[in-house]
Amino acid sequence: MLPLCLSTQPVSKKLFIRTYGCQMNVYDSTRMADVLAPLGYDTALRVEDADMVILNTCHIRERAEEKVFSELGRLRDLKEARQHEGGGLLIAVAGCVAQAEGAEIQARAPYVDIVLGPQTYHRLPEMVARASRAGQKVLDTDFPVEPKFDHLPAPSAQGPSAFLSVQEGCDKFCTFCVVPYTRGAEYSRPVASVLAEAERLVETGVREITLLGQNVNGYHGPGPDGSAWSLGRLIRHLARMPGLDRIRYTTSHPRDMDDDLIAAHRDVPQLMPFLHLPVQSGSDRILAEMNRQHTADDYRRLIDRLRAAQPDLALSSDFIVGFPGETDADVEATLRLVRDIGFAQAYSFKYSPRPGTPAAAIGDQIPETVKEDRLTELQRVIGEQAVAFNRGCVGRHFDVLLDRPGRHPGQLIGRSPYMQSVFVTAPEALLNTVQRLEVVTANPNSLAAKLLDQRACA
Ligand code: SAH
Ligand code: SF4
Ligand code: F3S
């Protein structure tokens, strides 16, 4: 007679994660998959194939939040259809909307099984057990004293480029922003924990690591010697790791850009010459209202110092238009700053009042149509700069990390040092390698290039 079931192998189940928001959420989604893998969950490519769905949500603007509730409506239909067939679907809502509005999600969408915040996903196995075996509704939006990083399994990597969270939370309290409330207080991971994760990623074939944090350049994790390491010091150390060719970091705050980090842009060849440094506005009055704690000229001077250290540095930024009380003159100041700096790319958003943030309570809110016009104008200027930057790349030779197959057979896509997508005709064998390419054409959002070293094709 066959033994009933002596295998310790968990039953195979499919997990589908939909990620909204920033790179930290992308990182968290991969880590949630790592946490659930020992329970037998592997990746479903389509939501229809999943036994469990996690929506990893973003609360930064109203639109981001609305998407979650409309997606939940679709999942309710899927779950009901499954239940008619005698099956089931476990639905979890994670991330920043879950953190901010956990109880509201449970009230508005009672078919959601698990609601969990960004700091508790290491506890997912017990939440899944409670929800699936005991049929309980689970809400876990704590800020645990013990950081989740102490409990996460080794990371798995897909492809040659990976994110690594080194810092979490934010104590800056910009008046428009929900992040300090959804992610909690600022925390820097210990250096040893970061290095162990980086080593593991490199062992699994990763060539490029992007260090992540809401204020990543405010990193001050305890080092093995007991002293606090700056981000610059961490980057210099990582650059000595064999096999790690490229290092990036995001997102930075202008206030935390110290001399050591600026010098790392001069000294560390592995540190890519691209920096995303949000400024939000070019008006000192608005910057003060936003509690950004610097002026537009402080930002200009900082960029001068960065460019003196690394003349080849390409810059990106974030802007908000239509902050309460913003005048046409304030918008002019922002456009002036954009013209003065010259960005390779930038993101711009209409101000979205977020519940519980100080700026949402300011009386002088800007009408939607005015925000729209200001955004259009800002995006036009930024768009022109991006096109000019891309055109300036034609004829240049870049090292590109080819990390994805293209849409057409025989085509690969990679990232330039300046984060542009680069398309090239190249054999599949070159996937996941760094190749020297010559840029032949520039498109508004990408570059086309050719392989320089044709021997690589042999
Ligand atoms: N930590 C980063 C930004 C994180 S949020 C920093 O300090 O810059 C990413 C971007 O979203 C912000 O830079 C800002 O431009 C935008 N953003 C944040 N809150 C917003 C709001 N209430 N309305 C519109 N855009 C917002
Ligand atoms: Fe939000 Fe400001 Fe913190 Fe950035 S620095 S996460 S914009 S509060
Ligand atoms: Fe959004 Fe949370 Fe990131 S609010 S931008 S997912 S930190």
Side-chain angles (χ1 to χ4, degrees):
M1 208 172 93
L2 285 170
L4 273 176
C5 182
L6 292 179
S7 161
T8 52
Q9 277 300 100
V11 186
S12 165
K13 282 169 275 178
K14 291 280 184 196
L15 170 68
F16 184 87
I17 307 183
R18 195 181 294 291
T19 308
Y20 304 86
C22 63
Q23 289 100 329
M24 303 220 61
N25 260 15
V26 175
Y27 173 85
D28 289 342
S29 289
T30 60
R31 303 304 269 136
M32 285 192 265
D34 293 339
V35 168
L36 289 173
L39 272 67
Y41 282 100
D42 68 21
T43 308
L45 295 177
R46 302 179 327 144
V47 66
E48 292 79 11
D49 301 329
D51 300 291
M52 175 173 181
V53 178
I54 302 177
L55 300 185
N56 194 10
T57 63
C58 172
H59 197 52
I60 203 85
R61 284 169 292 273
E62 202 179 345
R63 281 266 303 278
E65 190 186 341
E66 280 165 5
K67 282 186 200 155
V68 176
F69 283 101
S70 57
E71 183 64 24
L72 277 175
R74 283 193 286 275
L75 290 179
R76 179 197 50 212
D77 296 345
L78 186 62
K79 185 168 181 152
E80 279 173 7
R82 289 272 178 87
Q83 283 165 343
H84 281 136
E85 295 158 7
L89 177 68
L90 210 56
I91 302 177
V93 182
C96 292
V97 178
Q99 186 66 47
E101 299 192 344
E104 194 187 334
I105 292 169
Q106 287 192 312
R108 271 178 72 177
Y111 46 88
V112 169
D113 301 285
I114 300 171
V115 176
L116 73 157
Q119 308 306 352
T120 55
Y121 59 76
H122 55 292
R123 300 177 184 156
L124 258 172
E126 45 183 287
M127 297 183 210
V128 169
R130 276 166 57 199
S132 54
R133 288 201 215 118
Q136 290 172 13
K137 298 289 173 198
V138 180
L139 172 70
D140 189 347
T141 49
D142 279 1
F143 289 112
V145 184
E146 278 189 2
K148 64 186 174 223
F149 297 108
D150 294 354
H151 303 277
L152 296 178
S156 60
Q158 277 143 12
S161 187
F163 290 136
L164 200 175
S165 274
V166 301
Q167 185 268 341
E168 276 262 4
C170 181
D171 294 340
K172 292 254 184 325
F173 290 95
C174 301
T175 54
F176 52 81
C177 184
V178 291
V179 170
Y181 313 97
T182 62
R183 291 269 168 174
E186 201 283 329
Y187 165 79
S188 292
R189 276 174 84 175
V191 170
S193 155
V194 172
L195 295 180
E197 189 164 328
E199 266 164 28
R200 165 77 195 188
L201 288 169
V202 171
E203 275 163 24
T204 55
V206 166
R207 313 282 303 270
E208 172 181 87
I209 290 180
T210 303
L211 304 172
L212 296 181
Q214 262 86 21
N215 276 299
V216 69
N217 57 342
Y219 177 82
H220 58 272
D225 53 355
S227 71
W229 283 33
S230 67
L231 187 69
R233 189 166 175 197
L234 184 67
I235 287 171
R236 285 170 203 274
H237 197 86
L238 279 169
R240 293 205 289 269
M241 194 173 281
L244 182 57
D245 297 331
R246 299 180 152 207
I247 302 170
R248 302 179 185 273
Y249 62 95
T250 201
T251 295
S252 299
H253 192 289
R255 287 267 299 181
D256 291 331
M257 211 71 216
D258 64 15
D259 290 343
D260 187 35
L261 186 54
I262 294 173
H265 278 279
R266 181 192 62 212
D267 303 333
V268 180
Q270 291 89 339
L271 184 57
M272 290 292 99
F274 177 85
L275 178 61
H276 180 69
L277 193 61
V279 62
Q280 316 297 355
S281 170
S283 153
D284 288 346
R285 200 178 61 82
I286 295 294
L287 285 168
E289 289 280 314
M290 289 176 162
N291 190 31
R292 292 291 291 183
Q293 300 172 45
H294 65 79
T295 64
D297 277 349
D298 290 338
Y299 188 84
R300 287 184 177 87
R301 279 192 291 269
L302 179 55
I303 299 299
D304 287 346
R305 284 164 60 213
L306 278 156
R307 283 181 164 152
Q310 167 52 288
D312 191 29
L313 191 70
L315 288 155
S316 160
S317 197
D318 288 343
F319 293 90
I320 295 176
V321 293
F323 186 84
E326 186 189 59
T327 63
D328 287 344
D330 295 320
V331 179
E332 267 313 309
T334 299
L335 293 169
R336 219 164 29 244
L337 180 84
V338 172
R339 291 199 179 95
D340 286 350
I341 303 285
F343 291 98
Q345 60 159 80
Y347 303 90
S348 43
F349 311 98
K350 285 185 288 181
Y351 169 71
S352 171
R354 306 308 290 133
T357 58
I362 302 177
D364 200 1
Q365 299 285 327
I366 304 293
E368 211 47 35
T369 50
V370 176
K371 287 186 197 171
E372 201 74 63
D373 291 348
R374 290 177 180 174
L375 186 69
T376 306
E377 176 60 4
L378 178 60
Q379 289 188 337
R380 192 184 61 74
V381 177
I382 290 170
E384 277 173 13
Q385 293 194 343
V387 167
F389 181 78
N390 286 352
R391 284 210 187 112
C393 293
V394 174
R396 288 187 61 185
H397 296 179
F398 290 161
D399 288 333
V400 174
L401 175 59
L402 298 170
D403 58 358
R404 285 164 288 161
R407 270 189 297 272
H408 308 294
Q411 190 185 54
L412 297 179
I413 308 177
R415 288 268 182 204
S416 77
Y418 317 110
M419 287 300 278
Q420 300 134 301
S421 290
V422 185
F423 292 75
V424 63
T425 301
E428 213 185 312
L430 297 188
L431 192 63
N432 300 347
T433 66
V434 177
Q435 293 297 325
R436 195 136 186 95
L437 307 182
E438 180 179 327
V439 178
V440 283
T441 35
N443 308 311
N445 298 312
S446 65
L447 303 173
K450 65 178 185 196
L451 278 174
L452 268 179
D453 184 1
Q454 290 300 332
R455 282 166 308 164
C457 299

